[in-house]
Structures are given as structure tokens and as C-alpha cells.
Amino acid sequence: MGRRMVAAAVAVVLAGGGVAGCGTFSTRDDRQRAVEVAERVAPGVLEVVDTRSLFPQDGGAEVSFRIKGDADAVVRLRVNAEKDDCGGRSCDDRLTAALAEARREADGFRALRREFRACGYEVHGLSADGTGPWISAPLGPDTARRVVASVGECLDRWSRAQGDTAPAHLAVKVAAPDALDRLPDDAGRPTLMRLTAGERLAALGRGTYHRVVFRAGPDGVDRDSGEVHLVQPFAERQRFAASVRAAAERWLRTEAGSPEAVAGEYVGVWKLLPGRVDRVGGWVLYCERPEGERPRCVGRHALAVAVGLDGTLAAEPEVFRGVRDADGPLGLPAEEDGAPSYAWVRG
């Protein structure tokens, strides 16, 4: 599967279709055309499992096939019955290439699944955006280190099996166990069709989940590079940010001796503290007093804070003064590898 760790799970989608005609609202003729092509290219091998209209983006339909004798592979062909070809190329050639690629993709997926099963995890989804497979695990304060270590082992096994084609960064999305209760009933479809379906990925990603990311080293995965990222819905992020700003402002006014302090927008990427899934580190910019007619505080100074997932302070903040001159760029503490360093955050 190489550098397309997740995209490799998706069979080739063949370019095709053209100007919409009388067949725009019906896929019957397109499906029949695809079946005719399949019987010429691979007689008795392919079986239609789904037909999806491409209207209004395009004419024709996308026809998906299973490969008989292969429970994992899915082949997709875009075809328009009103055209004599598939996107400017012979439909036979398109389907021949798609069939070969689908078999390669299925073999790559089976290698990924084999290594994860060896670590005790089932692959429940494959994101088409290339951000890694989905597994399920209870990722909490008492289990985080064990889960991260085992995910690193899985990725190391898979990376070694890929050799030189392994990506430089490897990621796994971790859904809570109860997310599996929301998965659609899609049994009977090819595995790669099920695991990449939008409904399944939406169910896995509903609410808050985590991404575990590792860097690849010269001899497999760098086991010490594992990081856990918290992924929250937009509304939850907004509530979190408002809670953090309110907590920071209260601390500044009551504990730091700045009764007129105004918290500005927080900046930088909020990040789970190393080894924790219940503590987040980040920045809050603030002004010591209202700044005249300015509509908002752009932030002259900054607080380094450690907060709980509800946005309340979990440790004493640290003040960094003079991080911005007028409206100039910020001068926050040094960054490492392009990401904020949170070594200064206590908690």
C-alpha cells in the first residue's frame, strides 16, 4: 500500500462520463453497458454490487463490481452509455487496468489487516483522505500508554512489511468502542467497499476521537515519536476555546494582579500533553487593559496553560510578556520541528 496507506484501500475510479443526456436520471443503461464490458474483459469474474449516478457533476454512472472469489476487492468503472468510450479511452482498457489495480489494492489491504490483527486490533474503516485506518480502543488516562505502544507495534510491523514503500509518517484513527454500535449494516459488500463508505466513516468520526501518529525511522517506526491528537467537532472546539479564555481571564484578574486583563484569541495548535489524554497544552494571548478603540484584544502577552478537556485550568499558567510589538508578528517560545514545544507546560 506504500505511501497511499489509506487511498490504497480504494479501488481505481476510472474517469469517464460527459455531457448529461436523456440517461441522466437513470443508471439502467449505464449498468448494462458496464456489464457488457465486464463480460468481454473478464467473463464470469465480475459481479455488479452497486450503481451510482454521477449527476449533476457528470453524466453516466459509477458501477462497482465484486471479484468472485475475493471478498475484499472492489472494482469501480465510470461509464456513460451514450458515449463510445470511458473518458476518452476504451472501456475494455479502463476495466482491465481497474481490475489489476483492485487486486493489488486488496493484497495491500490484507497485509495491513494482518499486521493489525496480530496486535489485537480489527480495522473498522479506511479514510480516503490518506490519514490512516480506523481502529477502536478505550483511550483514557489509564490506557493511553498501552494503546499508543501497541499501535506503534502494529505500524512497525506493517512498515517493515512495506520496506522502502512505507510512508514517512504513519497514523491511526482511534474511535471509542461505542462508535461501533453506530456502524451501518453493510454486510455482504466487498470489504474495501464497506470500509471506505461515507456512512461508515461518518459514524466512526462522529463526536470526539483520537489520532495516533508516529514517524518512520531508518529501521521501522520510531517508537519514541508517538503522539496522540485530539479531534473534536467544530462546536465542541468552540466551547472549549471559550472555556479556556474565560478561565485564563479569571486567573489573570484574580491571581496575576491584572484586574483589567482581557483575554484575546488563543493561537497555535492545542496539543495533548505527552503521555496524557486528559490534559491539553496551549496558548492564550491577553492584554493587561482595554486598548482604546480597538474592537478586540490582539494580544501583547501570552499565557502557557495546561487545561482539562472541559477547558478549566489544570495547573498554574506561566506568563510570557511582550510576545507581540504593536500589530507585528508573535514571538512565542522556540518551536521544535515546526510545532510548538510544550516542555514549559506544567501539569
Side-chain angles (χ1 to χ4, degrees):
M1 292 169 66
R3 294 184 180 277
R4 299 171 301 160
M5 182 177 182
V6 175
V10 185
V12 168
V13 178
L14 305 178
V19 179
C22 62
T24 294
F25 301 104
S26 173
T27 61
R28 182 181 59 189
D29 292 344
D30 301 318
R31 177 188 175 112
Q32 182 57 38
R33 176 67 182 279
V35 169
E36 292 171 358
V37 174
E39 284 305 306
R40 286 198 305 270
V41 171
V45 172
L46 300 177
E47 176 184 342
V48 175
V49 290
D50 187 61
T51 305
R52 178 177 66 90
S53 174
L54 297 176
F55 180 82
Q57 290 83 7
D58 205 344
E62 180 182 82
V63 181
S64 298
F65 299 88
R66 74 168 75 252
I67 301 175
K68 292 183 180 179
D70 188 330
D72 301 318
V74 58
V75 182
R76 292 185 176 101
L77 175 68
R78 286 189 174 185
V79 59
N80 189 331
E82 298 180 354
K83 300 291 183 179
D84 293 330
D85 58 26
C86 288
R89 182 178 173 187
S90 161
C91 289
D92 289 18
D93 291 345
R94 289 282 192 184
L95 188 56
T96 298
L99 177 58
E101 182 67 9
R103 283 173 166 151
R104 287 193 293 271
E105 303 289 14
D107 287 340
F109 163 70
R110 284 187 280 267
L112 175 70
R113 180 176 59 189
R114 181 176 60 249
E115 301 305 341
F116 272 76
R117 281 180 172 174
C119 297
Y121 296 111
E122 189 65 33
V123 176
H124 295 292
L126 292 162
S127 299
D129 61 3
T131 54
W134 283 89
I135 64 171
S136 176
L139 199 59
D142 298 329
T143 62
R145 291 185 184 276
R146 175 178 57 80
V147 171
V148 171
S150 62
V151 167
E153 178 185 352
C154 294
L155 290 174
D156 188 50
R157 292 171 62 100
W158 180 82
S159 176
R160 290 176 184 274
Q162 299 307 298
D164 293 339
T165 63
H169 290 82
L170 305 118
V172 173
K173 292 182 178 180
V174 184
D178 61 7
L180 303 185
D181 297 333
R182 303 192 294 261
L183 297 184
D185 182 11
D186 49 11
R189 292 192 166 195
T191 306
L192 291 182
M193 191 174 191
R194 291 190 298 106
L195 298 192
T196 58
E199 297 86 350
R200 172 175 284 258
L201 299 180
L204 288 167
R206 190 181 307 160
T208 298
Y209 64 90
H210 297 86
R211 288 184 68 232
V212 181
V213 183
F214 283 83
R215 292 192 304 270
D219 300 312
V221 167
D222 179 356
R223 298 290 190 92
D224 296 328
S225 68
E227 292 185 350
V228 181
H229 300 270
L230 183 69
V231 183
Q232 297 173 306
F234 176 77
E236 185 63 29
R237 294 199 306 272
Q238 294 295 95
R239 287 193 293 269
F240 172 79
S243 178
V244 171
R245 288 196 295 272
E249 200 166 88
R250 284 193 300 270
W251 183 86
L252 285 165
R253 292 178 175 183
T254 60
E255 303 295 331
S258 298
E260 294 184 282
V262 177
E265 296 295 322
Y266 68 98
V267 297
V269 178
W270 288 91
K271 189 173 181 181
L272 288 169
L273 299 184
R276 304 293 294 265
V277 293
D278 58 345
R279 293 288 184 271
V280 183
W283 300 97
V284 177
L285 299 183
Y286 74 95
C287 306
E288 290 185 316
R289 60 184 60 84
E291 299 190 342
E293 299 300 319
R294 289 181 181 273
R296 63 188 178 90
C297 165
V298 297
R300 305 287 184 177
H301 316 294
L303 285 183
V305 299
V307 299
L309 298 184
D310 60 356
T312 58
L313 295 177
E316 190 80 358
E318 185 169 352
V319 175
F320 290 83
R321 298 184 58 82
V323 298
R324 190 199 299 272
D325 180 18
D327 292 328
L330 286 171
L332 294 172
E335 297 183 348
E336 297 177 358
D337 298 328
S341 168
Y342 293 92
W344 35 261
V345 177
R346 297 185 296 273

